[in-house]
Amino acid sequence: MYKLSLNHEFKMQDIETLGLSTELFKDIENIECSGYLRMPMIKKELTKVFSNNGFILKQKLHNKHNIYITGIKEKVGLCIQMGHKAGWYFDMTKLTYLKNKGVIDKAVIVLPSKELEKFCKTSSIATYELVASRQELFGDIFNNESHIMRLDISRRT
């Protein structure tokens, strides 16, 4: 059996202003993970955890367009990105749009680690490591306060 863990480099005060709690982190660690795991399965379980912790899911950006982000809690946007690396740019654009419209003040972006990508036997995913390096290059283009978090996997002890 394996466990997921949501890791970050933020201070506890920052975590609280993002609408996150110790219960949310514990709930993620309690997700049942066997040797067979795929990114869509992980995203589905993470979405449930964030929903159970106060995030309103599948938030539409505009009435005329079927474009969504994963969720919103108060004025914090949520994007759980478990797909192709090009999806990160689209998520950042959506978050910038919501920030410019005054819907959100900041955002949480959950990304799989390179280790989780390998575990799921997939490639070309928007991993934390890849996006962190791209954020240095493109971060100034997007005028939203994005907080990137890394989803890791390890053996349960």
Side-chain angles (χ1 to χ4, degrees):
M1 293 301 284
Y2 297 87
K3 72 173 181 175
L4 298 171
S5 57
L6 189 57
N7 297 299
H8 57 86
E9 298 173 7
F10 312 131
K11 297 176 181 146
M12 194 53 165
Q13 179 184 359
D14 295 332
I15 293 297
E16 291 170 0
T17 64
L18 294 172
L20 307 176
S21 64
T22 53
E23 290 80 22
L24 180 133
F25 290 93
K26 288 177 187 174
D27 290 348
I28 290 172
E29 288 187 9
N30 288 331
I31 294 172
E32 292 292 325
C33 299
S34 64
Y36 178 80
L37 204 55
R38 295 292 172 257
M39 290 297 175
M41 297 162 60
I42 296 168
K43 184 172 182 174
K44 182 179 178 184
E45 292 300 317
L46 283 177
T47 302
K48 284 183 201 173
V49 169
F50 277 92
S51 175
N52 292 340
N53 283 274
F55 281 82
I56 300 167
L57 301 180
K58 201 169 181 183
Q59 294 297 295
K60 196 170 190 175
L61 272 68
H62 190 276
N63 289 336
K64 293 182 183 178
H65 303 279
N66 287 324
I67 302 173
Y68 301 86
I69 63 168
T70 306
I72 294 178
K73 181 178 183 182
E74 295 162 15
K75 292 196 78 155
V76 177
L78 171 67
C79 287
I80 300 175
Q81 177 56 256
M82 298 287 144
H84 191 270
K85 55 191 169 187
W88 173 72
Y89 300 100
F90 190 37
D91 280 349
M92 291 300 288
T93 302
K94 292 185 286 185
L95 293 169
T96 299
Y97 174 84
L98 290 173
K99 172 82 165 52
N100 291 343
K101 292 293 182 182
V103 177
I104 64 170
D105 291 329
K106 54 189 121 200
V108 172
I109 301 174
V110 177
L111 299 165
S113 66
K114 191 77 176 157
E115 191 64 33
L116 182 55
E117 177 188 43
K118 287 178 192 173
F119 185 88
C120 290
K121 297 180 175 110
T122 190
S123 62
S124 298
I125 297 295
T127 63
Y128 174 86
E129 294 81 359
L130 176 70
V131 169
S133 69
R134 301 274 169 87
Q135 182 77 353
E136 291 175 19
L137 183 61
F138 296 116
D140 291 341
I141 293 172
F142 303 107
N143 68 338
N144 62 63
E145 185 184 328
S146 295
H147 301 272
I148 300 173
M149 304 184 83
R150 182 182 69 249
L151 187 66
D152 288 313
I153 191 163
S154 60
R155 261 193 204 283
R156 240 180 237 286
T157 55

